[in-house]
């Protein structure tokens, strides 16, 4: 039933997108926590930099990753790992915005209450923030999974003929 030339590339595409989605959601949630709950110098500049990957075309990102990761000691062009890394950072702004929207609905007094009860920052994140942001995490994962499935330009540059994805099926 799963025979034919297109199935391996379809399953590779699903696997790479599914591997990138939770990583994107996790990094996006941590970045959203920093941007929403912490105050630091250069916060608006940091937020602007995190949104830049949407402004850069996929062709430029593909060529940049080839130039950066096609030389030793980090020679990962043509592997699935570089595609996962690229999907994570390409879709990061969506995950960050979903995390910021979710965290802005949570009152800061819950964080303060947890800290007053002598829970550390990690316990506060694990016991208070994560359960309350679960819908935002799920939405961020799904919203980053779908563009990774439909991204054809970057895998053509980075995967080449070594990684068969739906966008670049080898004849």
């Amino acid at each position: 039933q799963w025979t034919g030339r297109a199935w391996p590339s379809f399953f590779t595409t699903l696997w790479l997108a599914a591997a990138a989605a939770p990583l994107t959601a996790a990094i996006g949630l941590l970045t959203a926590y920093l941007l929403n709950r912490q105050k630091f110098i250069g916060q608006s500049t940091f937020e602007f930099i995190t949104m830049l990957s949407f402004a850069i075309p996929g062709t430029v990102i593909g060529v940049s990753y080839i130039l950066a990761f096609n030389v030793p000691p980090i020679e990962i062009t043509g592997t699935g790992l570089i595609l996962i890394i690229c999907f994570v950072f390409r879709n990061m702004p969506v995950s960050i915005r979903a995390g910021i929207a979710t965290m802005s609905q949570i009152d800061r007094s819950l964080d303060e209450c947890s800290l007053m009860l002598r829970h550390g920052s990690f316990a506060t994140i694990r016991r208070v923030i994560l359960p309350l942001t679960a819908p935002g995490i799920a939405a961020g994962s799904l919203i980053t999974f779908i563009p990774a499935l439909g991204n054809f330009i970057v895998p053509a540059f980075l995967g080449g003929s070594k990684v068969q994805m739906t966008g670049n099926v080898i004849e």
Side-chain angles (χ1 to χ4, degrees):
Q1 182 178 8
W2 304 106
T3 60
R5 291 182 17 193
W7 288 110
S9 62
F10 175 72
F11 289 129
T12 303
T13 303
L14 277 178
W15 183 84
L16 290 173
L23 290 172
T24 307
I27 296 171
L29 183 68
L30 289 174
T31 306
Y33 181 80
L34 282 174
L35 291 172
N36 193 288
R37 298 285 196 222
Q38 306 296 323
K39 299 294 180 205
F40 54 91
I41 298 172
Q43 184 173 2
S44 59
T45 305
F46 179 66
E47 185 173 3
F48 175 76
I49 290 171
T50 60
M51 300 298 145
L52 275 180
S53 67
F54 265 177
I56 302 171
T59 307
V60 174
I61 290 178
V63 171
S64 301
Y65 272 68
I66 287 173
L67 292 174
F69 297 115
N70 201 21
V71 293
I74 306 173
E75 193 171 349
I76 57 175
T77 303
T79 65
L81 179 62
I82 194 166
L83 290 171
I84 291 172
I85 292 169
C86 188
F87 289 156
V88 166
F89 289 104
R90 178 76 172 161
N91 298 319
M92 185 68 63
V94 175
S95 182
I96 292 171
R97 285 291 152 203
I100 288 175
T102 305
M103 283 197 192
S104 65
Q105 297 175 8
I106 300 171
D107 193 13
R108 292 178 189 237
S109 63
L110 294 173
D111 297 353
E112 294 169 5
C113 179
S114 177
L115 292 172
M116 293 294 278
L117 292 172
R118 295 185 184 182
H119 291 286
S121 297
F122 292 111
T124 301
I125 290 172
R126 191 180 76 238
R127 293 181 181 171
V128 177
I129 300 293
L130 285 179
L132 293 174
T133 58
I137 295 169
S141 294
L142 185 63
I143 292 172
T144 58
F145 174 76
I146 293 169
L149 283 178
N151 197 342
F152 301 121
I153 295 171
V154 173
F157 278 110
L158 299 178
S161 62
K162 296 179 184 177
V163 180
Q164 285 189 356
M165 292 192 62
T166 304
N168 55 351
V169 176
I170 300 172
E171 294 292 330

